[in-house]
PDB file of all heavy atoms in Angstrom:
ATOM      1  N   ALA A  16       0.823  -1.140  -0.021  1.00  0.00           N
ATOM      2  CA  ALA A  16      -0.010   0.021  -0.052  1.00  0.00           C
ATOM      3  C   ALA A  16       0.966   1.201   0.002  1.00  0.00           C
ATOM      4  O   ALA A  16       1.869   1.235   0.651  1.00  0.00           O
ATOM      5  CB  ALA A  16      -0.983   0.006   1.197  1.00  0.00           C
ATOM      6  N   LYS A  17       0.469   2.202  -0.769  1.00  0.00           N
ATOM      7  CA  LYS A  17       1.169   3.429  -0.904  1.00  0.00           C
ATOM      8  C   LYS A  17       0.233   4.608  -1.296  1.00  0.00           C
ATOM      9  O   LYS A  17      -0.326   4.635  -2.326  1.00  0.00           O
ATOM     10  CB  LYS A  17       2.367   3.354  -1.895  1.00  0.00           C
ATOM     11  CG  LYS A  17       3.235   4.769  -1.841  1.00  0.00           C
ATOM     12  CD  LYS A  17       4.498   4.575  -2.673  1.00  0.00           C
ATOM     13  CE  LYS A  17       5.411   5.706  -2.559  1.00  0.00           C
ATOM     14  NZ  LYS A  17       6.590   5.618  -3.447  1.00  0.00           N
ATOM     15  N   ASN A  18       0.028   5.640  -0.399  1.00  0.00           N
ATOM     16  CA  ASN A  18      -0.809   6.695  -0.723  1.00  0.00           C
ATOM     17  C   ASN A  18      -2.198   6.383  -1.159  1.00  0.00           C
ATOM     18  O   ASN A  18      -2.919   6.890  -2.065  1.00  0.00           O
ATOM     19  CB  ASN A  18      -0.171   7.641  -1.721  1.00  0.00           C
ATOM     20  CG  ASN A  18       1.163   8.103  -1.332  1.00  0.00           C
ATOM     21  OD1 ASN A  18       1.501   8.460  -0.230  1.00  0.00           O
ATOM     22  ND2 ASN A  18       2.032   8.288  -2.363  1.00  0.00           N
ATOM     23  N   GLY A  19      -2.728   5.313  -0.473  1.00  0.00           N
ATOM     24  CA  GLY A  19      -4.084   4.908  -0.748  1.00  0.00           C
ATOM     25  C   GLY A  19      -4.210   3.924  -1.961  1.00  0.00           C
ATOM     26  O   GLY A  19      -5.354   3.487  -2.197  1.00  0.00           O
ATOM     27  N   ILE A  20      -3.192   3.713  -2.634  1.00  0.00           N
ATOM     28  CA  ILE A  20      -3.155   2.603  -3.706  1.00  0.00           C
ATOM     29  C   ILE A  20      -2.620   1.340  -3.227  1.00  0.00           C
ATOM     30  O   ILE A  20      -1.538   1.145  -2.788  1.00  0.00           O
ATOM     31  CB  ILE A  20      -2.271   3.138  -4.960  1.00  0.00           C
ATOM     32  CG1 ILE A  20      -2.709   4.476  -5.442  1.00  0.00           C
ATOM     33  CG2 ILE A  20      -2.219   2.172  -6.029  1.00  0.00           C
ATOM     34  CD1 ILE A  20      -1.916   5.153  -6.400  1.00  0.00           C
ATOM     35  N   VAL A  21      -3.416   0.340  -3.451  1.00  0.00           N
ATOM     36  CA  VAL A  21      -3.287  -0.945  -2.880  1.00  0.00           C
ATOM     37  C   VAL A  21      -2.870  -1.941  -4.137  1.00  0.00           C
ATOM     38  O   VAL A  21      -3.592  -1.822  -5.207  1.00  0.00           O
ATOM     39  CB  VAL A  21      -4.292  -1.590  -2.050  1.00  0.00           C
ATOM     40  CG1 VAL A  21      -4.142  -3.155  -1.742  1.00  0.00           C
ATOM     41  CG2 VAL A  21      -4.560  -0.756  -0.814  1.00  0.00           C
ATOM     42  N   THR A  22      -1.806  -2.645  -3.966  1.00  0.00           N
ATOM     43  CA  THR A  22      -1.322  -3.543  -5.060  1.00  0.00           C
ATOM     44  C   THR A  22      -1.562  -5.005  -4.473  1.00  0.00           C
ATOM     45  O   THR A  22      -1.083  -5.297  -3.373  1.00  0.00           O
ATOM     46  CB  THR A  22       0.075  -3.354  -5.536  1.00  0.00           C
ATOM     47  OG1 THR A  22       0.116  -2.048  -5.942  1.00  0.00           O
ATOM     48  CG2 THR A  22       0.485  -4.414  -6.632  1.00  0.00           C
ATOM     49  N   LEU A  23      -2.270  -5.882  -5.143  1.00  0.00           N
ATOM     50  CA  LEU A  23      -2.459  -7.286  -4.802  1.00  0.00           C
ATOM     51  C   LEU A  23      -1.421  -8.142  -5.741  1.00  0.00           C
ATOM     52  O   LEU A  23      -1.587  -7.902  -7.066  1.00  0.00           O
ATOM     53  CB  LEU A  23      -3.890  -7.667  -4.947  1.00  0.00           C
ATOM     54  CG  LEU A  23      -4.935  -6.787  -4.183  1.00  0.00           C
ATOM     55  CD1 LEU A  23      -6.336  -7.309  -4.505  1.00  0.00           C
ATOM     56  CD2 LEU A  23      -4.628  -6.799  -2.676  1.00  0.00           C
ATOM     57  N   MET A  24      -0.744  -9.041  -5.103  1.00  0.00           N
ATOM     58  CA  MET A  24       0.227  -9.878  -6.003  1.00  0.00           C
ATOM     59  C   MET A  24       0.036 -11.369  -5.465  1.00  0.00           C
ATOM     60  O   MET A  24      -0.493 -11.570  -4.336  1.00  0.00           O
ATOM     61  CB  MET A  24       1.611  -9.477  -5.790  1.00  0.00           C
ATOM     62  CG  MET A  24       1.854  -7.961  -6.141  1.00  0.00           C
ATOM     63  SD  MET A  24       3.375  -7.317  -5.394  1.00  0.00           S
ATOM     64  CE  MET A  24       2.979  -7.240  -3.681  1.00  0.00           C
ATOM     65  N   GLY A  25       0.537 -12.179  -6.388  1.00  0.00           N
ATOM     66  CA  GLY A  25       0.472 -13.647  -5.942  1.00  0.00           C
ATOM     67  C   GLY A  25      -0.109 -14.543  -7.092  1.00  0.00           C
ATOM     68  O   GLY A  25      -0.359 -14.100  -8.092  1.00  0.00           O
ATOM     69  N   THR A  26      -0.409 -15.668  -6.550  1.00  0.00           N
ATOM     70  CA  THR A  26      -0.985 -16.714  -7.490  1.00  0.00           C
ATOM     71  C   THR A  26      -2.064 -17.490  -6.773  1.00  0.00           C
ATOM     72  O   THR A  26      -1.997 -17.968  -5.689  1.00  0.00           O
ATOM     73  CB  THR A  26       0.154 -17.798  -7.927  1.00  0.00           C
ATOM     74  OG1 THR A  26       1.295 -17.041  -8.465  1.00  0.00           O
ATOM     75  CG2 THR A  26      -0.312 -18.782  -8.933  1.00  0.00           C
ATOM     76  N   VAL A  27      -3.237 -17.652  -7.493  1.00  0.00           N
ATOM     77  CA  VAL A  27      -4.388 -18.337  -6.937  1.00  0.00           C
ATOM     78  C   VAL A  27      -4.688 -19.428  -7.946  1.00  0.00           C
ATOM     79  O   VAL A  27      -4.330 -19.391  -9.158  1.00  0.00           O
ATOM     80  CB  VAL A  27      -5.529 -17.347  -6.746  1.00  0.00           C
ATOM     81  CG1 VAL A  27      -5.249 -16.455  -5.626  1.00  0.00           C
ATOM     82  CG2 VAL A  27      -5.970 -16.760  -7.962  1.00  0.00           C
ATOM     83  N   ASP A  28      -5.433 -20.462  -7.462  1.00  0.00           N
ATOM     84  CA  ASP A  28      -5.874 -21.561  -8.317  1.00  0.00           C
ATOM     85  C   ASP A  28      -7.241 -21.636  -8.851  1.00  0.00           C
ATOM     86  O   ASP A  28      -7.756 -22.666  -9.386  1.00  0.00           O
ATOM     87  CB  ASP A  28      -5.624 -22.987  -7.509  1.00  0.00           C
ATOM     88  CG  ASP A  28      -6.477 -22.957  -6.158  1.00  0.00           C
ATOM     89  OD1 ASP A  28      -7.240 -22.065  -5.960  1.00  0.00           O
ATOM     90  OD2 ASP A  28      -6.339 -23.963  -5.538  1.00  0.00           O
ATOM     91  N   ALA A  29      -7.849 -20.411  -8.903  1.00  0.00           N
ATOM     92  CA  ALA A  29      -9.165 -20.259  -9.460  1.00  0.00           C
ATOM     93  C   ALA A  29      -9.498 -18.791  -9.702  1.00  0.00           C
ATOM     94  O   ALA A  29      -8.932 -17.944  -8.857  1.00  0.00           O
ATOM     95  CB  ALA A  29     -10.253 -20.820  -8.500  1.00  0.00           C
ATOM     96  N   TYR A  30     -10.048 -18.530 -10.745  1.00  0.00           N
ATOM     97  CA  TYR A  30     -10.343 -17.060 -11.267  1.00  0.00           C
ATOM     98  C   TYR A  30     -11.301 -16.345 -10.241  1.00  0.00           C
ATOM     99  O   TYR A  30     -11.039 -15.157  -9.879  1.00  0.00           O
ATOM    100  CB  TYR A  30     -11.000 -17.177 -12.510  1.00  0.00           C
ATOM    101  CG  TYR A  30     -11.469 -15.717 -13.092  1.00  0.00           C
ATOM    102  CD1 TYR A  30     -10.567 -14.694 -13.178  1.00  0.00           C
ATOM    103  CD2 TYR A  30     -12.879 -15.482 -13.245  1.00  0.00           C
ATOM    104  CE1 TYR A  30     -10.946 -13.475 -13.578  1.00  0.00           C
ATOM    105  CE2 TYR A  30     -13.276 -14.169 -13.564  1.00  0.00           C
ATOM    106  CZ  TYR A  30     -12.338 -13.106 -13.753  1.00  0.00           C
ATOM    107  OH  TYR A  30     -12.712 -11.880 -14.206  1.00  0.00           O
ATOM    108  N   PHE A  31     -12.258 -17.012  -9.570  1.00  0.00           N
ATOM    109  CA  PHE A  31     -13.161 -16.267  -8.679  1.00  0.00           C
ATOM    110  C   PHE A  31     -12.423 -15.844  -7.404  1.00  0.00           C
ATOM    111  O   PHE A  31     -12.807 -14.856  -6.817  1.00  0.00           O
ATOM    112  CB  PHE A  31     -14.372 -17.374  -8.244  1.00  0.00           C
ATOM    113  CG  PHE A  31     -13.934 -18.401  -7.288  1.00  0.00           C
ATOM    114  CD1 PHE A  31     -13.953 -18.149  -5.834  1.00  0.00           C
ATOM    115  CD2 PHE A  31     -13.598 -19.591  -7.776  1.00  0.00           C
ATOM    116  CE1 PHE A  31     -13.572 -19.211  -5.031  1.00  0.00           C
ATOM    117  CE2 PHE A  31     -13.225 -20.637  -6.927  1.00  0.00           C
ATOM    118  CZ  PHE A  31     -13.198 -20.484  -5.580  1.00  0.00           C
ATOM    119  N   LYS A  32     -11.255 -16.596  -7.070  1.00  0.00           N
ATOM    120  CA  LYS A  32     -10.502 -16.069  -5.930  1.00  0.00           C
ATOM    121  C   LYS A  32      -9.786 -14.668  -6.206  1.00  0.00           C
ATOM    122  O   LYS A  32      -9.700 -13.840  -5.318  1.00  0.00           O
ATOM    123  CB  LYS A  32      -9.368 -17.069  -5.581  1.00  0.00           C
ATOM    124  CG  LYS A  32     -10.002 -18.443  -4.984  1.00  0.00           C
ATOM    125  CD  LYS A  32      -8.772 -19.346  -4.504  1.00  0.00           C
ATOM    126  CE  LYS A  32      -9.378 -20.609  -3.950  1.00  0.00           C
ATOM    127  NZ  LYS A  32      -8.336 -21.448  -3.435  1.00  0.00           N
ATOM    128  N   LYS A  33      -9.464 -14.570  -7.455  1.00  0.00           N
ATOM    129  CA  LYS A  33      -8.878 -13.288  -7.901  1.00  0.00           C
ATOM    130  C   LYS A  33      -9.964 -12.135  -7.744  1.00  0.00           C
ATOM    131  O   LYS A  33      -9.612 -11.022  -7.266  1.00  0.00           O
ATOM    132  CB  LYS A  33      -8.435 -13.387  -9.341  1.00  0.00           C
ATOM    133  CG  LYS A  33      -7.850 -12.182  -9.998  1.00  0.00           C
ATOM    134  CD  LYS A  33      -7.362 -12.628 -11.371  1.00  0.00           C
ATOM    135  CE  LYS A  33      -6.651 -11.392 -12.080  1.00  0.00           C
ATOM    136  NZ  LYS A  33      -6.088 -11.677 -13.365  1.00  0.00           N
ATOM    137  N   ILE A  34     -11.141 -12.452  -8.150  1.00  0.00           N
ATOM    138  CA  ILE A  34     -12.289 -11.519  -8.062  1.00  0.00           C
ATOM    139  C   ILE A  34     -12.547 -11.040  -6.645  1.00  0.00           C
ATOM    140  O   ILE A  34     -12.748  -9.879  -6.170  1.00  0.00           O
ATOM    141  CB  ILE A  34     -13.490 -12.001  -8.640  1.00  0.00           C
ATOM    142  CG1 ILE A  34     -13.280 -12.153 -10.199  1.00  0.00           C
ATOM    143  CG2 ILE A  34     -14.779 -10.997  -8.519  1.00  0.00           C
ATOM    144  CD1 ILE A  34     -14.409 -12.831 -10.960  1.00  0.00           C
ATOM    145  N   GLU A  35     -12.530 -12.156  -5.683  1.00  0.00           N
ATOM    146  CA  GLU A  35     -12.922 -12.049  -4.332  1.00  0.00           C
ATOM    147  C   GLU A  35     -11.826 -11.143  -3.527  1.00  0.00           C
ATOM    148  O   GLU A  35     -12.117 -10.346  -2.686  1.00  0.00           O
ATOM    149  CB  GLU A  35     -13.145 -13.301  -3.637  1.00  0.00           C
ATOM    150  CG  GLU A  35     -14.411 -14.032  -4.097  1.00  0.00           C
ATOM    151  CD  GLU A  35     -14.758 -15.189  -3.281  1.00  0.00           C
ATOM    152  OE1 GLU A  35     -14.028 -15.528  -2.437  1.00  0.00           O
ATOM    153  OE2 GLU A  35     -15.951 -15.837  -3.572  1.00  0.00           O
ATOM    154  N   ALA A  36     -10.653 -11.380  -3.912  1.00  0.00           N
ATOM    155  CA  ALA A  36      -9.456 -10.620  -3.379  1.00  0.00           C
ATOM    156  C   ALA A  36      -9.647  -9.152  -3.722  1.00  0.00           C
ATOM    157  O   ALA A  36      -9.497  -8.350  -2.850  1.00  0.00           O
ATOM    158  CB  ALA A  36      -8.087 -11.222  -3.791  1.00  0.00           C
ATOM    159  N   GLU A  37      -9.932  -8.807  -4.836  1.00  0.00           N
ATOM    160  CA  GLU A  37     -10.045  -7.597  -5.368  1.00  0.00           C
ATOM    161  C   GLU A  37     -11.311  -6.873  -4.741  1.00  0.00           C
ATOM    162  O   GLU A  37     -11.143  -5.704  -4.179  1.00  0.00           O
ATOM    163  CB  GLU A  37     -10.298  -7.425  -6.854  1.00  0.00           C
ATOM    164  CG  GLU A  37     -10.428  -6.021  -7.388  1.00  0.00           C
ATOM    165  CD  GLU A  37     -10.493  -6.042  -8.990  1.00  0.00           C
ATOM    166  OE1 GLU A  37     -10.229  -7.037  -9.606  1.00  0.00           O
ATOM    167  OE2 GLU A  37     -10.978  -4.970  -9.562  1.00  0.00           O
ATOM    168  N   SER A  38     -12.361  -7.581  -4.602  1.00  0.00           N
ATOM    169  CA  SER A  38     -13.535  -7.039  -3.899  1.00  0.00           C
ATOM    170  C   SER A  38     -13.300  -6.783  -2.444  1.00  0.00           C
ATOM    171  O   SER A  38     -13.662  -5.743  -1.915  1.00  0.00           O
ATOM    172  CB  SER A  38     -14.672  -8.000  -4.043  1.00  0.00           C
ATOM    173  OG  SER A  38     -15.840  -7.547  -3.447  1.00  0.00           O
ATOM    174  N   ALA A  39     -12.555  -7.605  -1.795  1.00  0.00           N
ATOM    175  CA  ALA A  39     -12.281  -7.461  -0.399  1.00  0.00           C
ATOM    176  C   ALA A  39     -11.352  -6.108  -0.151  1.00  0.00           C
ATOM    177  O   ALA A  39     -11.613  -5.402   0.911  1.00  0.00           O
ATOM    178  CB  ALA A  39     -11.522  -8.706   0.145  1.00  0.00           C
ATOM    179  N   ALA A  40     -10.486  -5.953  -1.057  1.00  0.00           N
ATOM    180  CA  ALA A  40      -9.568  -4.777  -0.969  1.00  0.00           C
ATOM    181  C   ALA A  40     -10.359  -3.499  -1.143  1.00  0.00           C
ATOM    182  O   ALA A  40     -10.218  -2.583  -0.479  1.00  0.00           O
ATOM    183  CB  ALA A  40      -8.442  -4.854  -1.943  1.00  0.00           C
ATOM    184  N   LYS A  41     -11.255  -3.554  -2.090  1.00  0.00           N
ATOM    185  CA  LYS A  41     -12.033  -2.288  -2.497  1.00  0.00           C
ATOM    186  C   LYS A  41     -12.867  -1.910  -1.250  1.00  0.00           C
ATOM    187  O   LYS A  41     -13.333  -0.775  -1.125  1.00  0.00           O
ATOM    188  CB  LYS A  41     -12.930  -2.592  -3.665  1.00  0.00           C
ATOM    189  CG  LYS A  41     -12.112  -2.508  -4.924  1.00  0.00           C
ATOM    190  CD  LYS A  41     -13.120  -2.748  -6.145  1.00  0.00           C
ATOM    191  CE  LYS A  41     -12.457  -2.505  -7.472  1.00  0.00           C
ATOM    192  NZ  LYS A  41     -13.313  -2.660  -8.569  1.00  0.00           N
ATOM    193  N   ASN A  42     -13.294  -2.974  -0.519  1.00  0.00           N
ATOM    194  CA  ASN A  42     -14.302  -2.642   0.629  1.00  0.00           C
ATOM    195  C   ASN A  42     -13.598  -2.012   1.830  1.00  0.00           C
ATOM    196  O   ASN A  42     -14.253  -1.690   2.864  1.00  0.00           O
ATOM    197  CB  ASN A  42     -15.040  -3.809   0.944  1.00  0.00           C
ATOM    198  CG  ASN A  42     -16.091  -4.228  -0.013  1.00  0.00           C
ATOM    199  OD1 ASN A  42     -16.515  -3.287  -0.828  1.00  0.00           O
ATOM    200  ND2 ASN A  42     -16.472  -5.392  -0.049  1.00  0.00           N
ATOM    201  N   VAL A  43     -12.224  -1.911   1.845  1.00  0.00           N
ATOM    202  CA  VAL A  43     -11.519  -1.399   2.970  1.00  0.00           C
ATOM    203  C   VAL A  43     -11.451   0.076   2.954  1.00  0.00           C
ATOM    204  O   VAL A  43     -11.137   0.651   1.924  1.00  0.00           O
ATOM    205  CB  VAL A  43     -10.073  -2.012   3.009  1.00  0.00           C
ATOM    206  CG1 VAL A  43      -9.226  -1.416   4.145  1.00  0.00           C
ATOM    207  CG2 VAL A  43     -10.076  -3.560   3.247  1.00  0.00           C
ATOM    208  N   ASP A  44     -11.914   0.628   4.097  1.00  0.00           N
ATOM    209  CA  ASP A  44     -11.848   2.112   4.193  1.00  0.00           C
ATOM    210  C   ASP A  44     -10.384   2.679   4.011  1.00  0.00           C
ATOM    211  O   ASP A  44      -9.382   2.096   4.669  1.00  0.00           O
ATOM    212  CB  ASP A  44     -12.338   2.491   5.521  1.00  0.00           C
ATOM    213  CG  ASP A  44     -12.415   4.054   5.743  1.00  0.00           C
ATOM    214  OD1 ASP A  44     -12.899   4.675   4.713  1.00  0.00           O
ATOM    215  OD2 ASP A  44     -11.908   4.526   6.746  1.00  0.00           O
ATOM    216  N   GLY A  45     -10.161   3.608   3.163  1.00  0.00           N
ATOM    217  CA  GLY A  45      -8.928   4.036   2.969  1.00  0.00           C
ATOM    218  C   GLY A  45      -8.236   3.772   1.571  1.00  0.00           C
ATOM    219  O   GLY A  45      -7.285   4.389   1.154  1.00  0.00           O
ATOM    220  N   VAL A  46      -8.897   2.742   0.949  1.00  0.00           N
ATOM    221  CA  VAL A  46      -8.355   2.353  -0.409  1.00  0.00           C
ATOM    222  C   VAL A  46      -8.984   3.236  -1.453  1.00  0.00           C
ATOM    223  O   VAL A  46     -10.116   3.375  -1.526  1.00  0.00           O
ATOM    224  CB  VAL A  46      -8.781   0.840  -0.595  1.00  0.00           C
ATOM    225  CG1 VAL A  46      -8.417   0.547  -2.023  1.00  0.00           C
ATOM    226  CG2 VAL A  46      -8.139  -0.043   0.437  1.00  0.00           C
ATOM    227  N   LYS A  47      -8.006   3.918  -2.162  1.00  0.00           N
ATOM    228  CA  LYS A  47      -8.454   4.784  -3.225  1.00  0.00           C
ATOM    229  C   LYS A  47      -8.344   4.084  -4.673  1.00  0.00           C
ATOM    230  O   LYS A  47      -9.138   4.415  -5.482  1.00  0.00           O
ATOM    231  CB  LYS A  47      -7.458   6.041  -3.284  1.00  0.00           C
ATOM    232  CG  LYS A  47      -7.541   6.895  -2.140  1.00  0.00           C
ATOM    233  CD  LYS A  47      -6.711   8.105  -2.261  1.00  0.00           C
ATOM    234  CE  LYS A  47      -6.881   9.164  -1.058  1.00  0.00           C
ATOM    235  NZ  LYS A  47      -6.129  10.324  -1.212  1.00  0.00           N
ATOM    236  N   ALA A  48      -7.591   3.103  -4.673  1.00  0.00           N
ATOM    237  CA  ALA A  48      -7.407   2.435  -6.073  1.00  0.00           C
ATOM    238  C   ALA A  48      -6.787   1.078  -5.766  1.00  0.00           C
ATOM    239  O   ALA A  48      -5.966   0.870  -4.769  1.00  0.00           O
ATOM    240  CB  ALA A  48      -6.500   3.215  -6.988  1.00  0.00           C
ATOM    241  N   VAL A  49      -7.025   0.076  -6.594  1.00  0.00           N
ATOM    242  CA  VAL A  49      -6.479  -1.180  -6.495  1.00  0.00           C
ATOM    243  C   VAL A  49      -5.809  -1.679  -7.731  1.00  0.00           C
ATOM    244  O   VAL A  49      -6.414  -1.606  -8.845  1.00  0.00           O
ATOM    245  CB  VAL A  49      -7.645  -2.404  -6.177  1.00  0.00           C
ATOM    246  CG1 VAL A  49      -7.012  -3.746  -6.171  1.00  0.00           C
ATOM    247  CG2 VAL A  49      -8.353  -2.001  -4.900  1.00  0.00           C
ATOM    248  N   VAL A  50      -4.561  -2.066  -7.756  1.00  0.00           N
ATOM    249  CA  VAL A  50      -3.769  -2.508  -8.744  1.00  0.00           C
ATOM    250  C   VAL A  50      -3.662  -4.009  -8.677  1.00  0.00           C
ATOM    251  O   VAL A  50      -3.146  -4.492  -7.532  1.00  0.00           O
ATOM    252  CB  VAL A  50      -2.261  -1.937  -8.834  1.00  0.00           C
ATOM    253  CG1 VAL A  50      -1.467  -2.566  -9.945  1.00  0.00           C
ATOM    254  CG2 VAL A  50      -2.414  -0.378  -8.873  1.00  0.00           C
ATOM    255  N   GLU A  51      -4.224  -4.823  -9.547  1.00  0.00           N
ATOM    256  CA  GLU A  51      -4.352  -6.198  -9.412  1.00  0.00           C
ATOM    257  C   GLU A  51      -3.366  -6.942 -10.289  1.00  0.00           C
ATOM    258  O   GLU A  51      -3.430  -6.792 -11.514  1.00  0.00           O
ATOM    259  CB  GLU A  51      -5.825  -6.599  -9.752  1.00  0.00           C
ATOM    260  CG  GLU A  51      -6.272  -7.953  -9.330  1.00  0.00           C
ATOM    261  CD  GLU A  51      -5.944  -8.878 -10.484  1.00  0.00           C
ATOM    262  OE1 GLU A  51      -6.765  -8.846 -11.341  1.00  0.00           O
ATOM    263  OE2 GLU A  51      -4.970  -9.640 -10.308  1.00  0.00           O
ATOM    264  N   GLU A  52      -2.445  -7.553  -9.606  1.00  0.00           N
ATOM    265  CA  GLU A  52      -1.398  -8.327 -10.334  1.00  0.00           C
ATOM    266  C   GLU A  52      -1.355  -9.861  -9.902  1.00  0.00           C
ATOM    267  O   GLU A  52      -0.332 -10.484  -9.870  1.00  0.00           O
ATOM    268  CB  GLU A  52      -0.014  -7.772 -10.006  1.00  0.00           C
ATOM    269  CG  GLU A  52       0.196  -6.279 -10.513  1.00  0.00           C
ATOM    270  CD  GLU A  52       1.446  -5.626 -10.262  1.00  0.00           C
ATOM    271  OE1 GLU A  52       2.261  -6.326  -9.400  1.00  0.00           O
ATOM    272  OE2 GLU A  52       1.766  -4.547 -10.598  1.00  0.00           O
TER     273      GLU A  52
END
């Protein structure tokens, strides 16, 4: 995290997990943008 921009990294074994991780990050107070890697 830097200046409200959150970057998610790593490897998952299903596409829906990628979506759920992004959704969880967006719902956190203070997050202005999500970079999904």
Side-chain angles (χ1 to χ4, degrees):
K17 186 174 183 180
N18 299 325
I20 300 175
V21 169
T22 301
L23 305 178
M24 303 162 289
T26 303
V27 294
D28 60 0
Y30 173 63
F31 74 86
K32 291 185 177 182
K33 182 175 181 176
I34 297 175
E35 290 189 359
E37 182 178 344
S38 178
K41 284 184 175 182
N42 288 338
V43 173
D44 183 48
V46 175
K47 294 183 178 181
V49 175
V50 178
E51 194 268 287
E52 298 179 353

